[in-house]
Amino acid sequence: MKKTFCFLFLFISLSSIAFAQTNFTDLTITLKNKNVGFFENQAINLTSKTTSEIFKSLSDSDGKATFSLPTNDIYEIKIANYTRKKEIRIPDIKGGQITNIFTYSTNMVEIHKKFEMSNSEKKK
């Protein structure tokens, strides 16, 4: 009886692991120009903190890029013309939808460079 129970418990446990499915959530990122319009054709990379997998997309004419991401993870967001570090947490919700809007100016990169320290300043 004990062997049968142990076998049944082991079988159920392994079956649930073998048939486990990853849930996905749709994330839409919109890149909005602070002055007017949207940022088109900007590379957006999302890097999983868990697996280091990189998801890539380009923004369309409305500044939008859509990703289908595995849930229960944190992703680092890198945008070609955006200098701030951002992360987004995707909760474990099957079929969820998240929208995130980034509003910034066209010269954000140039402004950021003006405040960067040179190598000699960093050594001091």
Side-chain angles (χ1 to χ4, degrees):
M1 180 71 173
K2 276 187 174 180
K3 285 184 179 182
T4 304
F5 178 74
C6 288
F7 176 74
L8 183 60
F9 178 76
L10 185 63
F11 178 75
I12 291 171
S13 298
L14 291 176
S15 295
S16 63
I17 293 170
F19 295 109
Q21 295 180 348
T22 301
N23 293 327
F24 289 86
T25 290
D26 290 335
L27 169 66
T28 301
I29 293 177
T30 303
L31 306 179
K32 189 174 179 183
N33 188 329
K34 186 177 181 178
N35 300 320
V36 65
F38 300 94
F39 292 108
E40 183 178 359
N41 293 322
Q42 294 300 312
I44 302 171
N45 294 340
L46 304 178
T47 304
S48 164
K49 293 274 192 166
T50 304
T51 65
S52 299
E53 185 176 358
I54 299 173
F55 299 84
K56 299 179 179 187
S57 187
L58 287 175
S59 59
D60 63 14
S61 60
D62 294 326
K64 293 184 180 191
T66 302
F67 300 86
S68 183
L69 301 171
T71 61
N72 203 25
D73 202 349
I74 297 173
Y75 296 87
E76 182 179 332
I77 302 171
K78 289 188 181 177
I79 302 169
N81 63 343
Y82 188 82
T83 58
R84 293 187 188 126
K85 184 177 179 180
K86 286 287 199 175
E87 293 180 344
I88 187 164
R89 183 183 159 325
I90 305 296
D92 194 16
I93 300 173
K94 183 178 181 179
Q97 294 183 341
I98 299 172
T99 300
N100 206 329
I101 299 172
F102 292 84
T103 303
Y104 54 100
S105 64
T106 55
N107 60 348
M108 181 181 204
V109 174
E110 291 81 25
I111 291 170
H112 182 75
K113 286 182 181 179
K114 287 181 183 179
F115 292 98
E116 282 184 2
M117 293 183 353
S118 68
N119 286 334
S120 61
E121 291 174 317
K122 290 178 184 177
K123 291 179 183 179
K124 289 182 181 181

